[in-house]
Amino acid sequence: MPTTLQNVVFPIAKDPDVLPLYADAETWTSVRGRPVRLSENAHIDNVLSRSSVRVRSGQRVSYASYFNAFPASYWQRWTVVDRVALTLRTQGPGTIIVYRSNASGVQQRVDSRAVRGSDESVFDLPLRSFSDGGWYWFDLIASTDELILESGAWTTDAEPVSTGRLSLGMTTYNKPDYCVATLAGIADDPALLEAIDRVFLVDQGTRKVREEAGFDAAAERLGEKLRVIEQGNIGGSGGFARSMAETLEREDTDFLLLLDDDVEFETESALRALQFGRFSRTPVIVGGHMFDLLDKPVLHAWAEVVRPGPFMWGPSFDEQHRHDFRRRNLRQTPWMHARLDADYNGWWMCMIPKRIIAEIGLALPAFIKWDDAEYGLRAKEAGYRTVSLPGVALWHVSWIDKDDSQDWQAFFHTRNRIVAGLLHSDRPGGGGLLQNSGRQDIKKLLNMQYYAVQLAVDGMRAVLRGPGRLHDDIAKDMPQARARAADFPETRVYRSGDENAPVSRGGRALPLLEKPRDYPTGLRLALFTLRMVPQHWLRQSNENDEHAPELEYPKQDALWWRIPHHSSVIVGSADGAGKMWYRHDRAKFRRLLRESRALTRKIEKDWDRLAREYREALPRIASVEEWKKTFEGR
């Protein structure tokens, strides 16, 4: 009996914004090197059900799309599957054409078949020539009448390496509405429900999921598969570590799928991740891509890595970031056909085999930030790779309207990046990590972002306290970081109508209509820093001066190399809720610059000793035994 690896699916909500992820238009041309759509034959009105779609008479639609093409190169590289079958059930007259691509994105015709009436077409497709990249997909061409695709699936006759079930681990803090919607979506998918052993919902908030409207109905449908665990707020890493610990006690579970709370879940993706894990030659971490929940055809990144020089995370190349499938679908994006390797996958959606958890331990007690990247690097060092698998994804609230490098999370950005570097960097002294981190502190100081630098300083002090404090302080670090804001007036957001809201004497800066070209790099950046740091050191102004702000900038135009020329400016908040007032303060600038430099030099001097201490402590601090003490309040 063939095993389904991937179903052909369509959006049940009939949201036209997401249609480019499921189907593509037929006809394209190139104008000045850019793809231009000539005709649009894929319409949301033609989606008939979760599995069925209509192609109108005389039209052609391609399913060379994110969710419905088959990522052949990934299955060839990582799994025991050596051939797949594409089975399509259709109604009506027309033609099916099957295509493949190579690693450069060149399209090649594989097979075709004329259909009429009620028909089932099976295409046998080998996985032998996709080592560097490539996909399979199909097009439907309707003849004299409409052609209905009733269902489709990519299947295999291969035997899976593992047959265990899937558990889900969701961590939430005050997002009960999202959680209930996710639980209901799981309950609505019979195939996924059958594959699930347990759903661990780790609720760390004050607005309890069990009190949310709709929870009781979803819980009743999930029955004993759902387990709600309420614990204190110990961050995303604490919630995910709890799911990992619970999974290790489940005999029937072979895989744990971690999910963030503020997501819209494509349940078919969970089944695809599970099947990929079951057929993998050796255990691999299977990651899902993230699309923007508020701009649904936009992808966050395809494959993310930690660059060893600066020891910084990010997409393996810039073109991946915020790729818009409305503008360029699979066939129009050559880089998307190359098989890309990842160092880690974000824990908005990431499936980890239980065997890996048992061998390398639970999450790092990081609270938030770098826990997913550190775990991917830890697994890689143990011989287990991460595969960010195309066709496996969800929608998550993006960070485009946030700037967590300037709020309380700045503490965790600095501390956890250095800790991860101490654990995994293979460069002497961490390579360029400390230099890069120090430059970020200087940039923020010149932009009068003193709160963020204070938290970076606190983060470096926390690193020097050693690995033993990570568990002890995990429930304290976030409240302490937030409390720090009271000493930094730039953290206040002035909203429309607020009394005493600042007004700039120079008005509002004109918006930038083009990408700025005066970005300082290389020698110009060095000269800029050498000029601006002494200026800020010698300025007499402080935050209590009653001088009006010089100018107001929109957030996107508050460029880091322009703001330092001011002593007092208004800048829009990242989320658009109001304005923030940044003022030069001589005492804070001097103190924080001294402390940042001194702590950086201290960590640099002690790098080898600290690295040895953190690496020796990792098996203990990532152990179930140590985490259980934290779950119980230590």
Side-chain angles (χ1 to χ4, degrees), residues 68-127:
N68 282 323
F70 186 79
S73 64
Y74 292 83
W75 282 89
Q76 176 179 313
R77 167 63 181 87
W78 297 106
T79 75
V80 297
V81 177
D82 60 3
R83 57 196 316 112
V84 293
L86 169 63
T87 302
L88 301 174
R89 292 178 58 241
T90 57
Q91 180 70 46
T95 303
I96 302 169
I97 305 179
V98 178
Y99 293 94
R100 59 154 290 172
S101 65
N102 62 20
S104 300
V106 176
Q107 175 176 303
Q108 301 168 340
R109 183 166 172 154
V110 175
D111 200 353
S112 65
R113 193 161 305 165
V115 294
R116 65 181 63 254
S118 181
D119 215 328
E120 180 176 278
S121 304
V122 180
F123 299 88
D124 184 45
L125 305 169
L127 298 180

Side-chain angles (χ1 to χ4, degrees), residues 251-434:
E251 291 185 4
D252 292 338
T253 294
D254 277 356
F255 304 93
L256 172 65
L257 179 65
L258 302 179
L259 289 176
D260 217 336
D261 52 0
D262 48 349
V263 301
E264 187 175 301
F265 187 38
E266 169 55 86
T267 54
E268 167 70 16
S269 290
L271 288 167
R272 294 178 182 183
L274 175 62
Q275 295 297 59
F276 195 86
R278 283 174 168 172
F279 283 89
S280 294
R281 293 187 189 90
T282 59
V284 294
I285 296 173
V286 184
H289 291 145
M290 172 189 140
F291 286 91
D292 187 340
L293 184 58
L294 304 181
D295 196 3
K296 288 188 171 181
V298 175
L299 179 76
H300 169 65
W302 195 265
E304 296 193 275
V305 298
V306 176
R307 288 182 171 78
F311 202 82
M312 191 62 195
W313 62 30
S316 53
F317 52 88
D318 291 341
E319 287 78 4
Q320 302 172 45
H321 183 58
R322 293 197 65 76
H323 177 84
D324 189 341
F325 279 79
R326 285 169 300 205
R327 297 175 180 273
R328 289 176 180 264
N329 216 310
L330 178 62
R331 292 184 296 174
Q332 298 84 45
T333 313
W335 65 257
M336 211 171 278
H337 295 257
R339 181 177 56 79
L340 300 180
D341 291 334
D343 286 336
Y344 72 96
N345 199 95
W347 281 357
W348 48 75
M349 182 180 188
C350 189
M351 191 188 78
I352 307 173
K354 185 171 70 173
R355 174 177 159 184
I356 295 180
I357 300 171
E359 182 175 332
I360 73 171
L362 312 188
L364 189 74
F367 191 85
I368 194 173
K369 304 299 177 188
W370 279 92
D371 46 356
D372 45 15
E374 186 281 326
Y375 202 87
L377 294 175
R378 197 194 321 167
K380 185 178 180 181
E381 290 174 3
Y384 301 113
R385 297 302 302 269
T386 295
V387 179
S388 294
L389 183 61
V392 173
L394 49 62
W395 290 269
H396 186 289
V397 176
S398 78
W399 302 281
I400 194 168
D401 289 330
K402 301 177 183 178
D403 189 353
D404 57 22
S405 68
Q406 293 185 42
D407 64 14
W408 57 270
Q409 296 174 78
F411 170 87
F412 300 100
H413 274 291
T414 297
R415 186 199 65 179
N416 296 346
R417 179 185 178 192
I418 296 173
V419 168
L422 289 167
L423 290 170
H424 302 294
S425 176
D426 59 0
R427 303 293 175 90
L433 190 164
L434 294 173

Side-chain angles (χ1 to χ4, degrees), residues 39-83:
S39 66
E40 173 61 88
N41 294 331
H43 297 280
I44 198 67
D45 290 343
N46 291 329
V47 173
L48 305 178
S49 70
R50 177 66 163 161
S51 62
S52 180
V53 70
R54 170 179 54 216
V55 180
R56 295 187 185 276
S57 172
Q59 295 189 343
R60 173 175 182 160
V61 176
S62 176
Y63 298 93
S65 60
Y66 179 85
F67 280 120
N68 282 323
F70 186 79
S73 64
Y74 292 83
W75 282 89
Q76 176 179 313
R77 167 63 181 87
W78 297 106
T79 75
V80 297
V81 177
D82 60 3
R83 57 196 316 112

Side-chain angles (χ1 to χ4, degrees), residues 230-262:
E230 295 181 357
Q231 64 183 30
N233 185 16
I234 48 177
S237 64
F240 290 133
R242 184 63 181 268
S243 293
M244 292 177 177
E246 299 292 338
T247 295
L248 291 175
E249 298 179 4
R250 298 295 310 172
E251 291 185 4
D252 292 338
T253 294
D254 277 356
F255 304 93
L256 172 65
L257 179 65
L258 302 179
L259 289 176
D260 217 336
D261 52 0
D262 48 349

